[in-house]
Structure formats: C-alpha cells, structure tokens
Amino acid sequence: MQDTQFIVLFVSFVALILTSAALMYGRRPLARRLAKDPNEQTVRSVELVAGWTPTVLSLGFPLMALLIPINDFDRGFQLMVIGFFAIGAVWMLTVAKLPRLRNLMAQQAYASTLGAKNHGETPELYQDVMRRFLPLAGAVVALAFVIVLLRALL
C-alpha cells in the first residue's frame, strides 16, 4: 500500500508542475481565449502567471499531507514533517501579509517574465495580483499544516 501512495504522490506532483508550467508559458494564448479585450487579456495573463501558478503549486502541500504515511514513522520524523508544514504555512502567510516581501516577490515574478513590457504588464499589476492571490495560497498551505498535524495526533 505504501508504494501505491508514493506513486500517486509522485504522479500528482508531476501533474502540478506541468500545470504550473502550462500556466507560466501558455498564459498569453490562454488569456486571449479568456478575454477579448486587450487590457483584460493583460490582466488575465498576469493573474495566470503571478496568481494561479503559486496557488496551483501550493496544492501540493495538502496533497502531500494526505498521502504521506506519517503514522508509519517514529515521533522524530513526525515532528520534522509537522515543522516542515508549519514553516511553509508561516512563510506563505508572512509573504502574503507583509507588503515589502509581497512586492519583492512581485518584482521577481515581473523580472522573470520575458517580454512583459511588450505586452503592457507593469510591476504594479503584478503587485495587485500577488496581493489578491497569495492569501489563498497561504491558506491552502495552512490547511495542509492542520491536516498533517491532525493525522500525526490521531
């Protein structure tokens, strides 16, 4: 049974990474399909790259929390896993809450998207999208922390 869980976990993470890559690199064609107005296409494109990509990647945390066989390991390993999820939740919620870290993350996302200036994307648009989407990603990671904590205690 444990081998099946690891296979499902591996396939799920590969699917999350491929979905994130599709959002990152196929965002402009997808934005053209979602919106006809060029200004709306720019907003949708930035939402896909700066908003939905971290949210999709954060879905890996609850998936791992549900599939990892935490009760099969000793108490030290359980505490290490709980700490890993706690650090992830605190970090995501801290980045979502503190404007300086959120803006730094938005600037990094803006700098890493080649050709953003040619498509009307601005750092302020990235900051706005991060402000709206990062609390959702942080909540998903916090949910994973609660799941793994309950699984370890029960």
Side-chain angles (χ1 to χ4, degrees):
M1 183 64 180
Q2 193 172 4
D3 291 336
T4 306
Q5 286 178 328
F6 285 121
I7 291 170
V8 169
L9 190 64
F10 177 76
V11 169
S12 301
F13 273 108
V14 168
L16 285 173
I17 290 169
L18 290 177
T19 303
S20 296
L23 288 173
M24 289 283 293
Y25 299 110
R27 70 183 188 277
R28 289 195 181 100
L30 189 56
R32 279 193 289 276
R33 289 179 158 242
L34 293 173
K36 300 298 178 203
D37 179 36
N39 292 331
E40 187 68 23
Q41 288 177 3
T42 301
V43 172
R44 293 289 171 247
S45 176
V46 173
E47 284 178 353
L48 289 171
V49 73
W52 285 109
T53 301
T55 305
V56 167
L57 286 174
S58 71
L59 291 174
F61 280 87
L63 184 67
M64 189 167 56
L66 289 171
L67 294 177
I68 193 167
I70 194 163
N71 290 329
D72 294 348
F73 299 106
D74 63 349
R75 199 65 168 158
F77 180 79
Q78 289 178 350
L79 291 174
M80 185 180 70
V81 170
I82 291 169
F84 169 74
F85 282 96
I87 289 169
V90 167
W91 174 248
M92 285 297 288
L93 293 173
T94 301
V95 169
K97 194 71 176 160
L98 294 177
R100 183 174 171 91
L101 288 175
R102 188 177 59 237
N103 291 343
L104 184 64
M105 189 171 171
Q107 289 290 338
Q108 183 63 37
Y110 176 74
S112 67
T113 56
L114 300 175
K117 292 178 186 176
N118 300 336
H119 296 278
E121 298 173 2
T122 63
E124 291 78 21
L125 189 56
Y126 276 80
Q127 291 169 2
D128 179 55
V129 168
M130 292 276 185
R131 183 184 49 77
R132 289 186 289 134
F133 277 86
L134 281 181
L136 175 64
V140 169
V141 176
L143 173 69
F145 168 68
V146 170
I147 290 170
V148 79
L149 185 62
L150 289 175
R151 284 192 64 210
L153 293 175
L154 298 177

